């Protein structure tokens, strides 16, 4: 995260000069922001590939019911539980940067432009703080998810009957995640994520307020993405196809002009997938 902050600071002077020196300088600032965002995205994607790649290639543990337990919920040989939790939290955060940055970057850019119009002299620093606060929330969420995943995996390994019910339970959870896309809770948090920074409120112009804005954005994102995140955890946290589909879905509902309609369309698709998984678990498909 410190690296992200330092990268953003390199472009700080150009951003404010863009307000006062015209189109050419504005284009330079815009290109700088795009380059930094692209570098962060590429780095996080590569790190995710390097870390999860070898683990996803492992066969995993075949469970009653014909499903395979993800290696994400298992320790590596010789690894302690604290070390395993720390490793998971780091790679979870890196993965979230790769998945969420495409939808977050436009929000950060609008925030940067707005504080420049307010003649703030530290746009790079404040924008970086918003981003770091946002991903800090996701990191804490990962720390909360890991022990729950470990506990559930342990129970499933001890009780074959429970393990055999996992495919059906997965289908039900995916169906519920699809229904969640239509909920007013989802619509509220999606609206907060889609709102342009500075619209109808005073922009944070100091470090503490910028950090708080990042935390609020992260909380709204986690709440709004609860269904889609659940699908990722159920389908397979190390499944590249699932990561790509969930990333595309989150980006579309955040950035598309008709974002609410997109969210509902995603809900229909997810509900259909859930029904298929239920039918397959019941031996009907």
């Amino acid at each position: 995260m410190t690296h992200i902050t330092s990268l953003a600071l390199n472009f700080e002077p150009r951003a404010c000069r863009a307000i006062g020196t015209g189109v050419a300088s504005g284009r330079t600032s815009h290109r700088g922001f795009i380059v930094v965002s692209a570098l962060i995205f590429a780095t996080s994607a590569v790190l995710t590939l390097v870390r999860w790649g070898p683990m996803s290639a492992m066969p995993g543990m075949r469970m009653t019911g014909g499903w395979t337990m993800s290696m994400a919920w298992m320790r590596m040989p010789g690894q302690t539980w604290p070390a395993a939790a720390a490793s998971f939290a780091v790679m979870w955060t890196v993965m979230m940067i790769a998945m969420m940055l495409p939808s977050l970057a436009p929000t950060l850019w609008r925030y940067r432009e707005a504080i420049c119009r307010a003649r703030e002299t530290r746009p790079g620093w404040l924008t970086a703080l918003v981003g770091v606060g946002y991903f800090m929330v996701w990191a804490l969420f990962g720390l909360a998810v890991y022990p729950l995943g470990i506990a559930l995996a342990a129970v499933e390994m001890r009780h074959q009957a429970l393990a055999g019910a996992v495919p059906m339970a997965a289908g039900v959870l995916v169906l519920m995640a699809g229904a969640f896309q239509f909920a007013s809770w989802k619509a509220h948090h999606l609206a907060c994520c889609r709102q342009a920074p500075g619209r109808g409120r005073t922009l944070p112009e100091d470090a503490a307020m910028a950090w708080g804005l990042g935390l609020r954005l992260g909380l709204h994102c986690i709440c709004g993405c609860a269904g889609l995140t659940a699908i990722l955890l159920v389908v397979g946290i190390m499944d590249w196809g699932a990561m790509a589909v969930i990333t595309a879905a989150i980006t579309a509902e955040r950035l598309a002009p008709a974002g609410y309609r997109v969210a509902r369309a995603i809900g229909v698709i997810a509900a259909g997938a859930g029904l298929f998984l239920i039918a397959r678990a019941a031996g009907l498909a």
Side-chain angles (χ1 to χ4, degrees):
M1 293 298 182
T2 303
H3 182 57
I4 295 174
T5 301
S6 63
L7 282 173
L9 284 171
N10 290 334
F11 295 97
E12 178 182 286
R14 291 181 179 178
C16 281
R17 286 202 301 268
I19 302 300
T21 60
V23 175
S25 182
R27 288 176 179 173
T28 300
S29 174
H30 188 61
R31 285 195 298 268
F33 182 86
I34 291 174
V35 168
V36 172
S37 299
L39 286 174
I40 294 172
F41 171 78
T43 301
S44 60
V46 169
L47 289 175
T48 302
L49 179 64
V50 169
R51 181 64 179 90
W52 286 140
M55 292 182 67
S56 62
M58 295 179 183
M61 182 179 293
R62 195 71 175 173
M63 305 294 292
T64 302
W67 61 282
T68 302
M69 182 175 293
S70 172
M71 292 296 295
W73 312 118
M74 301 179 188
R75 286 183 299 174
M76 294 294 100
Q79 190 179 40
T80 64
W81 280 117
S87 176
F88 178 89
V90 170
M91 287 316 306
W92 169 269
T93 305
V94 172
M95 183 178 74
M96 287 300 108
I97 293 174
M99 292 182 65
M100 301 299 172
L101 190 57
S103 59
L104 177 65
T107 299
L108 294 178
W109 173 249
R110 292 194 297 268
Y111 169 80
R112 186 186 180 94
E113 285 189 318
I115 60 175
C116 275
R117 285 194 297 270
R119 301 190 182 279
E120 168 59 50
T121 59
R122 303 168 299 163
W125 166 251
L126 294 179
T127 303
L129 276 178
V130 174
V132 173
Y134 175 90
F135 287 114
M136 178 62 69
V137 176
W138 275 106
L140 294 175
F141 180 76
L143 283 174
V145 165
Y146 185 70
L148 293 176
I150 291 296
L152 183 58
V155 172
E156 290 165 349
M157 286 188 286
R158 290 194 186 100
H159 303 281
Q160 293 187 3
L162 180 60
V166 166
M168 177 66 71
V172 172
L173 285 173
V174 173
L175 177 60
M176 293 173 62
F180 176 76
Q181 292 290 108
F182 294 86
S184 57
W185 170 275
K186 163 74 177 188
H188 167 71
H189 290 288
L190 179 58
C192 292
C193 292
R194 289 172 57 89
Q195 184 179 23
R199 182 174 297 174
R201 67 180 64 182
T202 301
L203 280 171
E205 296 182 6
D206 60 58
M209 295 179 69
W211 176 259
L213 174 61
L215 296 179
R216 289 194 300 275
L217 285 173
L219 286 172
H220 284 307
C221 180
I222 286 176
C223 292
C225 295
L228 296 175
T229 304
I231 292 175
L232 178 65
L233 293 171
V234 167
V235 173
I237 193 174
M238 297 185 298
D239 187 305
W240 302 114
M243 288 184 196
V245 170
I246 297 300
T247 300
I250 291 172
T251 303
E253 69 180 18
R254 296 273 184 84
L255 304 184
Y260 305 106
R261 293 181 181 178
V262 171
R264 291 180 176 88
I266 293 169
V268 171
I269 295 171
L275 290 173
F276 171 77
L277 292 175
I278 292 171
R280 187 172 67 178
L284 303 176

